[in-house]
Amino acid sequence: MSSPTAPARGTALLAGLVSLAVGIAAWWTAASLPVVPDYVLPSPGELVSRAVTLFRGGGLGVHLAQTLAEVLQGVLIGTVAGVLLAVLFVRLRWLEKLLMPVIVVVQVTPKISIAPLIVLWLGLGIGSKITLIALVTFYPILVNVVAKLRGMPTAFDDLSVVLGMSGARRARVLQLPFALPALLAGLRVGVLQAVTAAVIGEFIGAQAGLGYLEKQAQDNDDIQVVFITLILLCLIGWVLYAVVDLVERQVKARFDIG
C-alpha cells in the first residue's frame, strides 16, 4: 500500500520545492527593479542578512522562543480540554446541551475582540496568550472527536460492559484510540489557528514574541523586521501543520484507515 504513494509524495515535494524556488526568484527579481524601493520590498538576501544579525544579537531568538512556547503550551492545553469535553459530551448529553451554546458563542466571536478582555484579566504575560491559543485550538478537536465517538460501533460498548470497564478506563482503552484520527484531523486545523491567535494576543498586549516584535517594527517603519517576523510565523505554522499531518498519515497507515 505504501509503494504507490511514495512516488506521488516525492513528486509533490519536488513540485513544492520548485514552486518555492520560483517564488523566491520572482521576489528577488521584483526587489531588484529600480522602480521598487527597499522600504517597500526588501530582497531575500537583505532579509537573511538582517535576520542573522538579529539572531546573533539575541533579540530575535528570544521573541521566537516566546511565541513557540505560547503556541505549544496553548495547543497542548486546548487538545486536552477538547478531548476531555468530547468524552463528557458523548457520555452526558445534558452537559453538551448546557455548554455547547456558550462554546459556539465564544467561537463565533472574533478573537481580536476577545483578546483585549483576556489581556485585561490575565495581564501582558504569557498566560493571556496561552489562554487565547487554547481557546481557538480546542474547538475543532472537540467537534471532530465528538463526531467520531458518536460513530463508534456498539460492539465497543458491549465489550466494555463485558469487561466491566470503568468510564475512565473505557475512555483510555477504547474511545481515545478509536478517535485518534479525528483528533489529529482537528489538530491540523487547530495548530494553524494557534499561530494566528498568538499573533493577535501579542499585538494587543505583550512584552515579547514575534507578534510583539512585528508590531514594534510596524511602529518604527522597519519593513525588514516586519517581513522577517512574518516569514518566521509562516514557518512555525507550516512546521506544526506538517508534523501533525505526518503523525496523522502514520496513524492511518498503522491502523489501515482510509
Side-chain angles (χ1 to χ4, degrees):
M1 178 179 294
S2 60
S3 57
T5 59
R9 289 173 186 166
T11 302
L13 178 60
L14 179 60
L17 291 175
V18 171
S19 176
L20 180 61
V22 171
I24 293 176
W27 173 10
W28 214 312
T29 301
S32 301
L33 295 176
V35 294
V36 181
D38 291 342
Y39 61 83
V40 172
L41 184 65
S43 70
E46 292 173 334
L47 295 184
V48 170
S49 177
R50 182 73 183 279
V52 170
T53 301
L54 292 175
F55 266 115
R56 286 177 176 172
L60 188 56
V62 170
H63 293 294
L64 177 60
Q66 175 80 6
T67 300
L68 277 173
E70 293 168 0
V71 170
L72 294 178
Q73 292 179 69
V75 167
L76 177 61
I77 294 172
T79 300
V80 173
V83 171
L84 290 178
L85 272 179
V87 173
L88 289 175
F89 283 0
V90 171
R91 290 180 59 84
L92 306 172
R93 295 297 293 268
W94 63 266
L95 185 63
E96 180 183 11
K97 293 179 180 179
L98 179 65
L99 296 182
M100 188 55 82
V102 178
I103 293 173
V104 171
V105 168
V106 173
Q107 291 300 316
V108 300
T109 303
K111 300 305 175 289
I112 197 169
S113 301
I114 297 177
L117 185 60
I118 295 178
V119 170
L120 287 174
W121 282 343
L122 301 179
L124 299 177
I126 193 172
S128 57
K129 286 62 178 186
I130 292 175
T131 301
L132 185 62
I133 293 167
L135 194 63
V136 302
T137 303
F138 96 99
Y139 185 73
I141 294 173
L142 170 66
V143 172
N144 278 23
V145 174
V146 166
K148 185 68 173 179
L149 291 180
R150 292 239 163 91
M152 179 180 285
T154 56
F156 284 85
D157 295 322
D158 298 336
L159 178 62
S160 65
V161 173
V162 170
L163 296 178
M165 290 183 176
S166 63
R169 189 180 176 209
R170 179 174 181 268
R172 186 180 71 254
V173 175
L174 296 178
Q175 290 180 312
L176 292 183
F178 180 79
L180 184 57
L183 188 159
L184 292 170
L187 189 58
R188 272 195 292 125
V189 178
V191 293
L192 298 181
Q193 295 181 344
V195 177
T196 302
V199 174
I200 291 174
E202 291 170 355
F203 271 10
I204 298 300
Q207 297 170 324
L210 292 177
Y212 168 82
L213 182 61
E214 183 176 356
K215 185 66 169 59
Q216 294 293 108
Q218 176 193 347
D219 294 341
N220 295 327
D221 294 327
D222 192 338
I223 190 68
Q224 289 186 355
V225 174
V226 170
F227 266 96
I228 290 169
T229 54
L230 179 61
I231 291 171
L232 288 176
L233 289 167
C234 290
L235 286 175
I236 291 174
W238 179 81
V239 169
L240 291 176
Y241 182 91
V243 169
V244 176
D245 183 62
L246 176 62
V247 174
E248 182 182 6
R249 284 192 278 110
Q250 293 296 322
V251 167
K252 288 183 177 180
R254 172 67 177 81
F255 295 101
D256 196 21
I257 301 172

